[in-house]
Amino acid sequence: SDAGGAGATDLKKSTSAASPKSKADAASNAESASRINAALGVFQALILFLICILAFSTRLFSVLRYESVIHEFDPYFNFRSTKYLVKEGFYSFHNWMDDMSWWPLGRFIGGTVYPGLMFTAAIAYHLLHAFRFTIEIRNVCVMLAPAMSMLTALATYFLTTELWDSSAGLYAAAFISIVPGYISRSVAGSYDNEACAIFAMIFTFAVWVRAVKRGTIFWGAIAAFAYFYMVLSWGGYIFLINLIPLHAGVLMICGRYSHKLYVAYCTFYILGTLLSMHVQFVSFQPVSINSPEHMASFGVFGLLQLYTYFIWTKSMVSEKQFKYLLRMAILGALALVGMLVLAAMSGKVPFLTARFKALLGSTSNIAIVKSVSEHQPSSWTTFFFDMQCLVALVPVGLYFCFMNITDANIFIILYTITAMYFSSIMVRLVLVLSPVVCVMAAIGASETMKNYSNVNWVSGKRNNKDDVIEEEEEPEPAPKPSKKRGGKSTKNKESGKALPQKDILAKLKRRPNKIQRREKKAVAFLTGVMVSVALLVLFYFYTIHCTWVTSIAYSSPSIVLAAVNNDGSKTVFDDFREAYQWLKFNTPEKARVMSWWDYGYQITAMGNRTVIVDNNTRNNTHIARVGYAMASPEERSIKVIRELDVDYVLVVFGGKIGYSSDDINKFLWMVRISGGIFPDVVEAEYYNSQGMYTVDSTATPTMTNSLMYSMCYYRFGEMMTQYGRPAGFDRTRNAEIGKKDIKFRYLEEAFTSEHWMVRIYRVKKNPELDEYLPSL
């Protein structure tokens, strides 16, 4: 399509220089070129439509294999909140004080959530009902992530087109539609904040790049509103509000400052900050000294004002006066930095908060933070598993970007470097890396395919002297000649001079902001065929890998499990929903359930019962009390249970079927978290004499007498779990339990699911009376 544009440009120039007789032929050629461009545009739109269909359909494996169900843990809170929002309205949701979580403290929902996901689902629900599509709110929530993935593919195409060209944009949209790193958070049923946040992030970046290229208030405002949607959706907006100022600062350091950058950033920062402060969970953090994550954006905003002021001052005073002012400004900046450092060392300015240090790679010493698997560092296999061959194409894309330095390419280079660093620190942030990997791989694949197929799909003006093709862009307003003392006008000395080849900064300094590509000579036929076929084979295996990972690894809801038997048949384990339904219909409405925090959201959403702690992990002391009760003997645990007014205790046990994510395997984290608050809980007492964590006969009395051990293995010593193994054989730990005669005084078994995965115990209100009555 770009070739047609180039042909039309050449036709316009030839028409102006041709004789009147040839104008009719030139006009017909121009008309045919415009028709070709229109046809190519329709073909491109068709490809984008098919990519959107692919992005949506490839995320439906979980619905086809299981049913329309919400996945994981956090999405259940989002689902419950969305139902409340749809039923009660915006103002009730905004002021909602939830008394079913964190008993007896409660939780103020409006001030502790990012409501963008709930708002998006509620708006979609009301729009569908307005058009008489009566879809249940659960199905809207289940299908929201696949629907947003279509918009993400379009936003990626928009971003890559702004950075490079439409050919690379199609590659990027195709890559991100099936990349496992993004699919892991956008399959059907994955109703989490990232479903909307990734689209908001990519769209914000795309509009920011266009705002820098155009330099208009309009596009700066659009970038601010896109950023506002990102703030509404996810706490990862911190990455945006630091990356965009980093881009602006690097452009100034490289000598690429322009009025376009000034207009774009000032509009984005001022309007975006004001909008973000309307999110109740964010509030005044963007302008607070207690939030170091927002200081970079404010600092770059101030530097832009000073830089622009010095440029204006330089044009108004003599060179000697300007040098004096510059020295004073440098001394003042050094003094200000010294004061800030002293304030930070004295604790007045909290630059080194725990969250800030965690973002920079510092290892957290808080047990509850370390216990979350998403907070662990990424392994090399994670990158290949989530992005496959795209990892190898990223350096190729970086090469082409460095060979064609523009303001936009500097942004995507910074995005690549920072995302790679942060994703290596925390495995969850591989999600942020996946889009830029798709963009860089698309640029590398597109340019490689063009070079080795000897086809140049580029637009613009052909420079016959240097044989260079330049992409046209809106011209920068020419600077007015500055007048020095004496009335002499001077022009910019940098214009028209060749930059030194060895000076890196000189290469980055301001020059025509265009992508320049030299035409490649025709390669040998065999070489071109071999490279093209190799890329196609690579993309084929990439598609196979992505489809397999999506269908096997990322489309299995944690709430419903399945296993394949030896004869090939399939067994479904639906114990979680069975237990939650029992809680809902067989316990008092105001009953309070104590469990580990992992299951809090599911209990309140499906069981409709009050929980002591949940997945919000907002109160470490409260969670430590629950861990203390689980790690202590029954006689000591009952004091905590009665203090918290607990009616039922729930545990998850996988020893019968071999489920490894049960509470016994999580038990050491309960010990560590409670040990940080209660000194009488010592982790070493739960290891055997060899220093191993076991449940067999070598386990310590502290371990076997704990409430968690007793609740999981109660009556388990009588069960035969595997042929040829003794009774009480734990298939997950691959060991026979050490204590089988377990009895309770203050608890009694109330419910055990079909496969023993969920066990619920009732707290006796009067155990002394229960013991006295039989003796009568």
Side-chain angles (χ1 to χ4, degrees):
S1 62
D2 296 336
T9 304
D10 294 338
L11 285 171
K12 290 179 181 179
K13 294 185 176 181
S14 62
T15 302
S16 60
S19 61
K21 294 181 180 180
S22 61
K23 288 185 177 181
D25 295 335
S28 63
N29 291 336
E31 184 179 357
S32 63
S34 64
R35 290 179 180 177
I36 293 174
N37 288 337
L40 291 175
V42 173
F43 185 64
Q44 190 179 77
L46 177 61
I47 294 176
L48 280 175
F49 175 75
L50 293 177
I51 289 174
C52 291
I53 296 300
L54 172 65
F56 184 84
S57 59
T58 194
R59 288 163 169 80
L60 302 182
F61 281 106
S62 60
V63 175
L64 297 177
R65 290 185 173 180
Y66 296 92
E67 59 181 287
S68 179
V69 61
I70 303 293
H71 292 198
E72 302 299 332
F73 301 101
D74 289 1
Y76 275 94
F77 167 76
N78 299 329
F79 174 54
R80 176 169 170 256
S81 301
T82 304
K83 289 197 298 183
Y84 187 91
L85 173 63
V86 169
K87 181 180 178 181
E88 303 294 337
F90 170 76
Y91 288 104
S92 297
F93 174 81
H94 195 66
N95 299 305
W96 181 19
M97 185 65 185
D98 184 16
D99 58 355
M100 292 185 64
S101 60
W102 291 94
W103 175 267
L105 306 175
R107 178 184 176 187
F108 176 44
I109 301 298
T112 57
V113 296
Y114 294 99
L117 178 72
M118 298 82 165
F119 289 169
T120 304
I123 291 172
Y125 173 82
H126 288 302
L127 284 177
L128 289 171
H129 278 251
F131 288 101
R132 299 298 185 266
F133 292 100
T134 55
I135 300 177
E136 188 183 1
I137 184 61
R138 175 176 57 85
N139 291 324
V140 173
C141 296
V142 168
M143 295 299 177
L144 182 67
M148 295 300 296
S149 68
M150 296 191 294
L151 297 179
T152 303
L154 295 178
T156 306
Y157 169 79
F158 177 33
L159 172 61
T160 314
T161 303
E162 288 294 323
L163 295 169
W164 206 256
D165 58 20
S166 58
S167 173
L170 291 176
Y171 276 94
F175 287 156
I176 202 170
S177 65
I178 59 174
V179 66
Y182 174 48
I183 284 182
S184 63
R185 294 285 180 159
S186 59
V187 294
S190 182
Y191 187 60
D192 212 345
N193 292 332
E194 292 88 344
C196 296
I198 297 303
F199 159 72
M201 180 183 70
I202 298 175
F203 184 68
T204 303
F205 289 156
V207 180
W208 163 251
V209 170
R210 171 162 286 194
V212 173
K213 293 171 68 175
R214 299 292 178 87
T216 60
I217 295 178
F218 174 77
W219 286 108
I222 296 297
F225 279 101
Y227 168 70
F228 173 57
Y229 182 61
M230 177 66 185
V231 178
L232 274 173
S233 301
W234 192 31
Y237 77 92
I238 294 296
F239 180 69
L240 276 74
I241 202 56
N242 284 277
L243 179 60
I244 290 177
L246 177 64
H247 179 222
V250 169
L251 289 181
M252 287 193 293
I253 293 173
C254 295
R256 303 182 68 91
Y257 169 83
S258 66
H259 294 295
K260 293 181 180 180
L261 176 64
Y262 179 82
V263 172
Y265 186 81
C266 290
T267 306
F268 166 79
Y269 175 74
I270 295 174
L271 186 57
T273 301
L274 291 175
L275 289 172
S276 65
M277 290 167 63
H278 285 78
V279 181
Q280 194 169 1
F281 195 19
V282 177
S283 188
F284 288 95
Q285 290 184 34
V287 293
S288 173
I289 199 171
N290 295 319
S291 179
E293 297 91 348
H294 297 85
M295 289 185 178
S297 57
F298 177 74
V300 171
F301 176 73
L303 287 176
L304 267 177
Q305 312 310 313
L306 293 175
Y307 193 85
T308 306
Y309 173 75
F310 274 106
I311 291 177
W312 175 80
T313 305
K314 186 178 180 180
S315 65
M316 301 297 293
V317 300
S318 65
E319 185 175 354
K320 183 178 180 180
Q321 292 174 331
F322 178 74
K323 288 183 178 180
Y324 174 77
L325 291 175
L326 185 60
R327 284 195 297 267
M328 297 300 296
I330 293 175
L331 291 175
L334 292 176
L336 179 61
V337 171
M339 292 173 60
L340 290 176
V341 170
L342 290 176
M345 293 176 63
S346 62
K348 301 296 183 181
V349 181
F351 281 105
L352 300 178
T353 60
R355 180 180 179 183
F356 188 68
K357 289 189 289 186
L359 288 174
L360 296 179
S362 175
T363 303
S364 176
N365 293 322
I366 304 176
I368 194 170
V369 176
K370 296 168 66 176
S371 67
V372 181
S373 59
E374 292 179 343
H375 295 168
Q376 305 304 316
S378 303
S379 61
W380 282 108
T381 56
T382 302
F383 295 103
F384 183 79
F385 186 79
D386 283 343
M387 287 165 280
Q388 219 248 356
C389 68
L390 301 186
V391 176
L393 291 173
V394 169
V396 183
L398 281 171
Y399 166 78
F400 285 113
C401 288
F402 274 110
M403 292 299 293
N404 298 277
I405 289 294
T406 62
D407 292 350
N409 288 350
I410 290 176
F411 173 79
I412 201 64
I413 290 170
L414 292 173
Y415 181 13
T416 305
I417 295 172
T418 53
M420 289 175 63
Y421 174 74
F422 288 119
S423 63
S424 65
I425 292 174
M426 191 179 298
V427 67
R428 183 183 185 183
L429 296 182
V430 172
L431 178 68
V432 177
L433 176 65
S434 297
V436 72
V437 166
C438 293
V439 172
M440 278 299 181
I443 293 174
S446 174
E447 287 301 306
T448 303
M449 190 68 78
K450 288 177 187 179
N451 293 339
Y452 283 92
S453 62
N454 199 20
V455 176
N456 290 310
W457 294 323
V458 294
S459 63
K461 176 181 178 181
R462 185 179 297 275
N463 189 336
N464 294 325
K465 183 177 179 180
D466 296 328
D467 202 20
V468 173
I469 295 175
E470 298 180 347
E471 289 190 355
E472 296 293 341
E473 192 176 292
E474 286 192 6
E476 175 82 13
K480 296 180 180 180
S482 60
K483 292 186 179 181
K484 293 186 177 180
R485 298 180 73 123
K488 294 182 179 181
S489 62
T490 59
K491 295 184 179 179
N492 190 0
K493 295 181 180 181
E494 294 183 0
S495 60
K497 285 188 177 182
L499 296 174
Q501 187 69 20
K502 295 182 180 179
D503 190 356
I504 297 177
L505 289 178
K507 290 182 181 180
L508 299 174
K509 282 187 177 179
R510 190 72 188 171
R511 60 187 180 188
N513 197 21
K514 306 169 185 176
I515 294 178
Q516 300 182 352
R517 309 189 190 97
R518 296 188 179 277
E519 289 188 354
K520 300 295 182 182
K521 295 181 180 180
V523 297
F525 175 76
L526 184 60
T527 303
V529 170
M530 290 177 62
V531 173
S532 300
V533 171
L535 281 176
L536 292 177
V537 171
L538 200 64
F539 296 155
Y540 169 77
F541 283 107
Y542 170 72
T543 306
I544 297 298
H545 173 80
C546 294
T547 305
W548 178 83
V549 171
T550 302
S551 61
I552 301 300
Y554 292 144
S555 294
S556 300
S558 62
I559 196 71
V560 181
L561 307 177
V564 179
N565 301 322
N566 296 329
D567 58 355
S569 60
K570 189 176 182 180
T571 301
V572 176
F573 304 100
D574 204 2
D575 291 45
F576 284 104
R577 292 193 296 183
E578 177 190 355
Y580 298 147
Q581 289 298 304
W582 185 89
L583 274 176
K584 185 175 182 179
F585 294 106
N586 295 277
T587 60
E589 185 177 352
K590 298 296 184 180
R592 291 167 288 275
V593 181
M594 185 180 79
S595 68
W596 192 234
W597 60 264
D598 289 15
Y599 319 106
Y601 282 162
Q602 292 181 349
I603 293 173
T604 52
M606 287 188 283
N608 197 28
R609 292 297 176 261
T610 303
V611 295
I612 308 302
V613 293
D614 61 27
N615 309 58
N616 187 240
T617 62
R618 56 193 297 263
N619 191 324
N620 186 46
T621 304
H622 213 51
I623 294 176
R625 295 187 72 189
V626 174
Y628 179 78
M630 297 293 188
S632 303
E634 184 187 13
E635 291 75 14
R636 197 165 62 185
S637 300
I638 193 63
K639 299 178 181 179
V640 178
I641 290 174
R642 287 178 173 172
E643 287 175 359
L644 296 174
D645 294 332
V646 175
D647 299 305
Y648 294 88
V649 183
L650 181 147
V651 293
V652 174
F653 173 63
K656 180 184 177 184
I657 64 170
Y659 178 62
S660 59
S661 298
D662 64 349
D663 283 343
I664 291 292
N665 281 352
K666 298 176 184 178
F667 183 54
L668 279 181
W669 287 113
M670 304 182 196
V671 173
R672 291 164 185 163
I673 294 171
S674 59
I677 303 297
F678 302 98
D680 50 339
V681 178
V682 181
E683 182 181 353
E685 296 179 357
Y686 295 85
Y687 296 99
N688 61 13
S689 57
Q690 289 79 31
M692 300 176 62
Y693 175 67
T694 60
V695 296
D696 55 15
S697 57
T698 63
T700 62
T702 306
M703 175 68 187
T704 56
N705 291 329
S706 65
L707 184 64
M708 176 60 68
Y709 189 98
S710 300
M711 288 191 296
C712 288
Y713 292 117
Y714 177 67
R715 293 194 304 110
F716 187 71
E718 308 167 1
M719 175 175 290
M720 297 292 299
T721 60
Q722 190 170 337
Y723 179 76
R725 297 289 188 176
F729 182 77
D730 189 329
R731 297 177 62 185
T732 301
R733 265 66 57 178
N734 199 27
E736 181 185 0
I737 61 174
K739 183 179 180 181
K740 299 181 180 180
D741 55 338
I742 298 174
K743 296 181 180 179
F744 291 104
R745 181 185 180 189
Y746 301 100
L747 302 178
E748 61 180 352
E749 183 181 12
F751 174 81
T752 297
S753 61
E754 179 182 359
H755 302 97
W756 282 50
M757 286 183 62
V758 182
R759 311 196 68 181
I760 302 174
Y761 292 84
R762 183 184 295 107
V763 179
K764 296 180 181 179
K765 298 303 180 183
N766 297 296
E768 294 82 6
L769 183 62
D770 294 340
E771 295 173 356
Y772 177 70
L773 288 176
S775 64
L776 292 179

